[in-house]
Amino acid sequence: MIAEEYLAQLPEWPQVCEPYQKWLQFMEEKVSFSLEGSPIHTKAHCSRVLLYALLIGVHTQLSEQNMDALGMAAIFHDTRRQDDWLDVGHGQRAADYYKEFCAGSRLHYDERAYFIMAYHDRDDMLGLRVLSERFTDDPCVVLLYQIFKDADALDRFRLGPNALDAKYLRTEQAKKMLDFAKVTLETETMGC
């Protein structure tokens, strides 16, 4: 996982610390992953996606409710993968697991988090269309989807130095976080 000493150096850490630790602990204690032996779709990956999503959320001045939607999407989004490759449909399986989990627990179900997860492994045009049609009175849901997809993309550096094409990032803040994402992964790998 990401070293606390490293995170404490972030200027945004005071705003991100509580939600990051809350969702990280929840994932560690309560969330199960189908593909346990995966070297790349792990809880560590989800923890970095969580961090990136929350950092982008702080910079876009999201509400606590919106930050929680991102947190839930981050910790559940890869839980029902069947393989480490494309695995189209793993987002829908993860969203269904999240919904079932909420029904059997005290975790608040957020329909936006469900749909963000369900479409995170799909083409942007499809995801944006479905979210725009489904949440006509929530102008924030498209931004949440874009933030989440960018946060997930920022962790592509774990796949190799050229695994992320920055021209596909959707938010300006994510484009500014490329070096940070590389250093975060390196810091974690080195065990700092």
Side-chain angles (χ1 to χ4, degrees), residues 65-130:
Q65 181 183 18
N66 288 330
M67 295 284 271
D68 280 345
L70 289 173
M72 287 181 267
I75 66 171
F76 280 94
H77 81 281
D78 276 345
T79 56
R80 292 302 175 258
R81 278 190 157 274
Q82 295 174 346
D83 63 60
D84 277 326
W85 311 113
L86 191 56
D87 194 10
V88 175
H90 78 270
Q92 183 64 60
R93 291 189 302 272
D96 291 341
Y97 167 58
Y98 161 72
K99 187 175 187 176
E100 291 169 19
F101 186 97
C102 290
S105 74
R106 294 184 356 194
L107 181 61
H108 169 73
Y109 172 73
D110 187 318
E111 190 173 35
R112 298 166 314 151
Y114 176 90
F115 278 92
I116 289 167
M117 263 182 270
Y119 287 91
H120 89 273
D121 63 342
R122 306 295 177 136
D123 181 75
D124 275 9
M125 297 305 279
L126 174 61
L128 291 170
R129 182 177 53 79
V130 169

Side-chain angles (χ1 to χ4, degrees), residues 12 15-16 51-64 66-67 70 139-148 150-151 170-177:
E12 305 88 354
Q15 295 165 282
V16 172
L51 176 64
Y52 303 148
L54 294 174
L55 288 171
I56 297 169
V58 164
H59 281 276
T60 53
Q61 301 178 336
L62 293 180
S63 69
E64 183 179 344
N66 288 330
M67 295 284 271
L70 289 173
C140 220
V141 73
V142 167
L143 177 60
L144 293 175
Y145 179 72
Q146 292 171 326
I147 289 171
F148 181 76
D150 280 358
R170 298 143 194 92
T171 64
E172 288 305 311
Q173 186 58 36
K175 293 173 186 174
K176 295 175 186 175
M177 292 175 60

